């Protein structure tokens, strides 16, 4: 089973699945914002960036998934993005469910001065809403609450893939080709 999971990461289809699922989430965010008129908050923007990290992981690995360097860089970016995405979603849910003047998000995204994404692409990176504002719900859950199991699923699948690749590497004694 471990060898099978490790071989899966050497196939482009696996990385295309990661890319496609993250791209689907980004497209959903654009539909919510520009189609339904739901304005993103700062946490929404940060969660979008975590999703872009998942896309970046897939794109790196897609360069040549059979080569250990590209595969491992993709795996590590995937893990970091999934962990950060889950942390951000949990904090966003806290802002949403426990609103108070002492538990609030920033009004503006905190991008480095050399990378003002909210100025360069405000249609994607500018925040217009409060993190505690309830704008949309489905089956009793608000949008940030849905992101928790989504990022948790990315993280759980990453843990399985990461562990399988580590175990396979340890068994072979090399990084593999």
């Amino acid at each position: 089973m471990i060898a099978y999971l490790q071989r899966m990461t050497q196939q482009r289809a696996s990385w295309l699945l990661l890319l496609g699922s993250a791209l689907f989430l980004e497209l959903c965010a654009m539909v919510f914002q520009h189609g339904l008129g739901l304005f993103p908050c700062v946490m929404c923007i940060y969660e979008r960036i975590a999703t872009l990290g998942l896309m970046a992981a897939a794109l790196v690995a897609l360069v040549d998934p059979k080569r250990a360097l590209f595969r491992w860089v993709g795996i590590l970016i995937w893990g970091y993005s999934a962990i950060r995405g889950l942390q951000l979603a949990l904090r966003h849910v806290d802002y949403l469910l426990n609103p108070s003047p002492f538990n609030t998000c920033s009004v503006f995204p905190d991008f480095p001065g050399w990378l003002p994404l909210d100025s360069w692409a405000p249609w994607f990176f500018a925040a217009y809403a409060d993190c505690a504002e309830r704008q949309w719900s489905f089956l009793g859950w608000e949008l940030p609450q849905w992101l928790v199991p989504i990022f948790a699923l990315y993280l759980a699948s990453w843990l399985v893939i990461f562990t399988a690749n580590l175990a396979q590497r340890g068994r072979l004694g090399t990084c593999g080709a």
Side-chain angles (χ1 to χ4, degrees):
M1 180 66 154
I2 290 173
Y4 170 76
L5 290 170
Q6 199 270 341
R7 279 193 311 271
M8 276 181 42
T9 62
Q10 294 181 12
Q11 299 173 5
R12 290 189 188 277
S14 302
W15 294 101
L16 285 170
L17 180 62
L18 178 63
L19 177 64
S21 65
L23 179 62
F24 174 76
L25 291 176
E26 293 293 1
L27 291 174
C28 286
M30 292 295 93
V31 168
F32 280 116
Q33 180 178 348
H34 300 291
L36 300 177
L38 304 177
F39 296 113
C41 66
V42 168
M43 295 305 291
C44 296
I45 300 302
Y46 294 158
E47 291 155 352
R48 285 183 187 179
I49 292 172
T51 306
L52 288 174
L54 295 169
M55 292 172 65
L59 290 172
V60 167
L62 279 169
V63 170
D64 189 356
K66 293 193 184 306
R67 294 195 54 202
L69 174 66
F70 293 109
R71 187 173 60 252
W72 273 103
V73 170
I75 288 171
L76 293 176
I77 294 171
W78 173 7
Y80 179 75
S81 299
I83 289 167
R84 287 297 295 146
L86 182 58
Q87 289 172 333
L88 292 163
L90 287 169
R91 187 176 325 146
H92 194 171
V93 168
D94 183 49
Y95 291 147
L96 186 72
L97 298 180
N98 302 307
S100 81
F102 306 106
N103 188 31
T104 185
C105 65
S106 174
V107 178
F108 301 105
D110 187 24
F111 296 122
W114 54 270
L115 191 66
L117 295 174
D118 53 334
S119 297
W120 292 347
W123 57 272
F124 193 83
F125 293 108
Y128 302 104
D130 179 20
C131 293
E133 185 178 343
R134 295 173 181 256
Q135 296 187 56
W136 178 89
S137 69
F138 179 68
L139 298 177
W141 277 15
E142 300 290 325
L143 191 54
Q145 291 172 298
W146 283 105
L147 289 175
V148 171
I150 289 170
F151 279 115
L153 183 60
Y154 279 119
L155 181 58
S157 59
W158 173 79
L159 281 170
V160 169
I161 295 300
F162 179 75
T163 304
N165 275 272
L166 273 183
Q168 185 72 6
R169 179 178 179 220
R171 189 168 64 89
L172 295 175
T174 76
C175 286

